[in-house]
Amino acid sequence: SKVFPKGKDKKQAIKDIVGSWSGIALSSSSISPNAKFKSPSFTSSYAAVGKISNVMSEIIKDEDLVWHISNSIFYLISKTDPKLVRQVKLKSNDVINEVTPVQNSNLNAKTPQGLNVKVFLNGAIDTDTSINLSGLDDIQGNSVDGDYNVRTIKHSLDTRGNNWFTDMTVEAR
């Protein structure tokens, strides 16, 4: 646990918290220049107590921000202007199984719904990726075409010929 005084810069507090997170690093691009807080400093003292992931979510809960970890590096980005590294376009023949809705997939519930998507193994997709879905419907038959941010991802590959998939949860941009 750590206590931050009133007036402490929130980005610096996040750097302090992440710095104490074993196995997680900050890079020079960890905190996006577009990551803006409504109030850049704490308006009252703040006690960071409990799991680091819960503390991070608490600090940004009313903000237009999202945090994630990719390859053991922490990132804090704006939801509306994420400046993601790349966009991958996916069509119906890229997707395996049905696209299924996920309720309350967003950390602060501004976007109440996301999607689970399974595609053939695609190493170009990461949590810094924007996905464009084209020609797809969800299991209820609703069109899900559009741009999405990748929130969670799992690449599965088996050198003996079984799974060669990328499973991800995406949220509308």
Side-chain angles (χ1 to χ4, degrees):
S1 74
K2 186 166 184 152
V3 177
F4 297 101
K6 177 181 176 179
K8 172 78 173 183
D9 180 71
K10 289 181 182 177
K11 287 184 182 179
Q12 187 57 52
I14 288 172
K15 289 177 183 178
D16 293 348
I17 293 167
V18 173
S20 68
W21 204 342
S22 178
I24 304 301
L26 283 165
S27 74
S28 59
S29 62
S30 281
I31 298 180
S32 167
N34 296 331
K36 307 277 190 226
F37 284 91
K38 293 173 188 168
S39 173
S41 58
F42 292 108
T43 56
S44 61
S45 63
Y46 177 77
V49 179
K51 292 168 68 175
I52 294 176
S53 60
N54 293 343
V55 169
M56 296 304 306
S57 296
E58 176 69 23
I59 291 173
I60 67 167
K61 75 176 181 179
D62 294 326
E63 305 289 344
D64 181 39
L65 302 170
V66 67
W67 68 271
H68 68 273
I69 296 169
S70 178
N71 297 323
S72 298
I73 299 175
F74 174 88
Y75 294 95
L76 179 68
I77 60 172
S78 166
K79 286 182 195 171
T80 55
D81 190 16
K83 298 294 185 205
L84 299 172
V85 175
R86 63 193 165 279
Q87 183 177 64
V88 174
K89 295 180 185 278
L90 299 174
K91 296 184 179 181
S92 58
N93 59 343
D94 297 316
V95 176
I96 303 166
N97 297 336
E98 297 175 324
V99 174
T100 56
V102 178
Q103 295 299 316
N104 297 322
S105 62
N106 193 313
L107 292 174
N108 66 7
K110 285 185 181 176
T111 306
Q113 182 171 314
L115 301 170
N116 280 331
V117 181
K118 184 178 204 170
V119 298
F120 293 105
L121 185 65
N122 189 333
I125 300 172
D126 199 350
T127 52
D128 293 334
T129 309
S130 171
I131 300 295
N132 176 271
L133 299 177
S134 175
L136 290 168
D137 295 334
D138 66 15
I139 57 174
Q140 286 94 18
N142 302 315
S143 174
V144 294
D145 291 356
D147 293 329
Y148 295 84
N149 291 335
V150 176
R151 292 295 176 229
T152 65
I153 191 159
K154 179 180 178 190
H155 297 291
S156 303
L157 62 125
D158 182 336
T159 58
R160 297 174 194 244
N162 291 328
N163 294 333
W164 285 80
F165 306 123
T166 298
D167 291 292
M168 62 191 131
T169 303
V170 298
E171 290 178 337
R173 293 188 68 188

